[in-house]
């Protein structure tokens, strides 16, 4: 029996074109998304990766320099190694994980409230996430002012808990703490709403079945029923917490009113990128920093998928 003839390259191309034409209506429906994805996400990422291997100052044409930007990043950029990278990891770990845990706990507490109160507590928790950095600084600057008329200092002085005003946002010792507190206040965003929606949509029959199987406390209900039933929403919340922790890292500059922040206490990788890209116009090195930050975010999201992604058969 003769073996079937293998398709030639021209025949394969023709078959691919025919297959695309056959499902042309389907491709037409996804075309708007694909065009936006390619133009606003794929092309900028590819361009950033390409520019990270060049010297580019926005005036001269990019000049290929190989791995020099990444080598200088590890061997010569002391501010990055000593301040920006440790501050970013510390801030992201506390705000990302802390905000995520707070979002889940608050979502669970709101879910068990009667419906008439639930919407008002949800609105109160979600509203701060809508505030811009400028609005946040207007709200928090009087509270954290370093003089005696600052609300927090005035309150603590009246209670005799401190003897002199504390420089909450202009000192190296307290700036990071202030940034974390303000960021946690703002962290109840879209991820919080997603987890709340997931908890509210858990099938009540699962809780009844759990009680019949021996579950006797709210904590056991959360561990054995609520968390497994809301894995997709928790994954979404984890990804949003990572992105929010990266985006809000410029809060140090907004609170202190200084660039760079006092003794680089609130200096983040994003601030470092802005410094090299928008002030020094070393755009090749700035894009190399951006690629490193993108890599960190990618591995953080892979960890989130590992923890909360749906396994086969679940």
């Amino acid at each position: 029996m003769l073996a079937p003839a293998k398709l030639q390259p021209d025949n394969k191309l023709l078959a691919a074109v025919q297959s695309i034409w056959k499902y042309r209506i389907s491709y037409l429906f996804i075309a708007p998304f694909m065009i936006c994805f390619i133009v606003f996400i794929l092309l900028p990422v590819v361009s950033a990766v390409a520019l990270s291997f060049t010297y580019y100052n926005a005036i001269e044409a990019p000049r290929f320099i190989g791995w020099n930007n990444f080598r200088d990043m590890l061997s010569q950029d002391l501010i990055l190694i000593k301040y920006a990278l440790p501050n970013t990891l510390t801030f992201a770990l506390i705000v990302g994980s802390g905000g995520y845990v707070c979002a889940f706990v608050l979502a669970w507490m709101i879910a068990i409230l009667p419906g008439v109160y639930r919407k008002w507590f949800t609105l109160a928790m979600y509203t701060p996430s809508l505030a811009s950095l400028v609005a946040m600084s207007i709200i928090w600057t009087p509270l954290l002012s370093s003089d005696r008329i600052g609300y927090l200092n005035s309150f603590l002085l009246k209670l005799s808990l401190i003897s002199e005003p504390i420089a909450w946002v202009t000192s190296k010792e307290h700036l990071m703490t202030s940034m974390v507190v303000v960021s946690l206040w703002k962290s109840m965003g879209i991820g919080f709403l997603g987890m709340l929606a997931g908890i509210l949509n858990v099938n009540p029959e699962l809780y009844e079945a759990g009680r019949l199987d021996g579950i006797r406390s709210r904590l056991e209900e959360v561990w054995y029923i609520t968390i497994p039933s809301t894995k997709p929403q928790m994954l979404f919340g984890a990804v949003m917490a990572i992105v929010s922790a990266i985006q809000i890292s410029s809060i140090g500059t907004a609170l202190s009113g200084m660039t760079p922040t006092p003794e680089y206490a609130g200096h983040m990788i994003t601030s470092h990128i802005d410094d090299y890209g928008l002030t020094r116009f070393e755009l090749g090195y700035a894009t190399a920093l951006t690629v490193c930050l993108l890599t960190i975010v990618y591995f953080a999201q892979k960890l989130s998928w590992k923890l909360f992604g749906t396994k086969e058969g679940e």
Side-chain angles (χ1 to χ4, degrees), residues 2-288:
L2 296 176
K6 294 184 178 179
L7 290 176
Q8 298 299 320
D10 292 343
N11 294 336
K12 290 182 179 180
L13 179 61
L14 179 60
V17 172
Q18 290 175 344
S19 178
I20 293 174
W21 180 254
K22 179 180 179 181
Y23 299 104
R24 58 189 180 277
I25 302 299
S26 301
Y27 288 109
L28 185 63
F29 276 110
I30 67 173
F33 167 79
M34 291 302 300
I35 292 173
C36 292
F37 173 79
I38 293 172
V39 173
F40 296 108
I41 297 180
L42 183 61
L43 288 180
V45 170
V46 172
S47 300
V49 173
L51 284 175
S52 67
F53 294 98
T54 67
Y55 172 80
Y56 181 46
N57 58 10
I59 298 177
E60 303 172 327
R63 186 174 73 251
F64 180 76
I65 58 175
W67 294 92
N68 287 4
N69 286 328
F70 297 95
R71 183 193 61 192
D72 295 343
M73 193 184 304
L74 297 176
S75 61
Q76 298 184 19
D77 195 343
L78 298 181
I79 294 177
L80 172 68
I81 301 300
K82 189 175 180 180
Y83 299 107
L85 186 58
N87 288 344
T88 300
L89 294 178
T90 301
F91 183 84
L93 181 63
I94 297 175
V95 175
S97 58
Y100 179 73
V101 172
C102 290
F104 178 80
V105 172
L106 287 173
W108 177 77
M109 293 176 66
I110 291 174
I112 63 178
L113 291 175
V116 66
Y117 302 110
R118 189 181 299 151
K119 60 182 179 180
W120 297 111
F121 278 94
T122 302
L123 180 63
M125 293 295 105
Y126 178 67
T127 300
S129 68
L130 302 177
S132 64
L133 289 179
V134 175
M136 289 175 61
S137 62
I138 293 174
I139 295 170
W140 285 90
T141 298
L143 179 65
L144 300 175
S145 178
S146 303
D147 51 28
R148 289 181 175 271
I149 62 175
Y151 297 148
L152 182 56
N153 278 333
S154 177
F155 178 74
L156 295 176
L157 286 169
K158 287 180 180 179
L159 295 179
S160 300
L161 296 177
I162 58 175
S163 57
E164 58 182 16
I166 297 176
W168 296 107
V169 295
T170 55
S171 66
K172 176 182 178 181
E173 293 76 15
H174 299 99
L175 177 58
M176 179 60 72
T177 303
S178 301
M179 291 170 56
V180 168
V181 171
V182 175
S183 300
L184 288 176
W185 169 78
K186 193 181 186 299
S187 62
M188 301 300 111
I190 192 69
F192 159 74
L193 293 182
M195 284 190 280
L196 177 60
I199 294 172
L200 290 174
N201 283 282
V202 174
N203 190 348
E205 295 179 357
L206 293 177
Y207 294 110
E208 297 176 5
R211 283 190 287 271
L212 292 176
D213 288 339
I215 292 179
R216 293 290 179 265
S217 66
R218 289 279 190 178
L219 183 60
E220 290 181 342
E221 284 185 353
V222 170
W223 184 257
Y224 292 109
I225 299 176
T226 306
I227 292 179
S229 299
T230 58
K231 271 192 171 184
Q233 292 80 11
M234 295 188 70
L235 174 61
F236 174 73
V239 173
M240 294 306 299
I242 295 169
V243 174
S244 299
I246 297 298
Q247 288 180 337
I248 203 174
S249 59
S250 57
I251 186 62
T253 300
L255 288 177
S256 64
M258 302 179 187
T259 305
T261 53
E263 299 186 51
Y264 294 101
H267 195 68
M268 304 289 182
I269 293 182
T270 52
S271 307
H272 210 53
I273 293 171
D274 291 342
D275 180 27
Y276 275 92
L278 304 179
T279 303
R280 309 187 192 194
F281 288 98
E282 296 183 19
L283 300 181
Y285 186 73
T287 53

Side-chain angles (χ1 to χ4, degrees), residues 100 227-228 231-232 234-236 238-239 242 297-312 314:
Y100 179 73
I227 292 179
K231 271 192 171 184
M234 295 188 70
L235 174 61
F236 174 73
V239 173
I242 295 169
V297 173
Y298 171 77
F299 282 109
Q301 292 185 350
K302 290 289 287 184
L303 177 61
S304 300
W305 275 97
K306 187 73 174 178
L307 293 175
F308 301 111
T310 303
K311 308 296 189 301
E312 185 177 353
E314 290 185 346

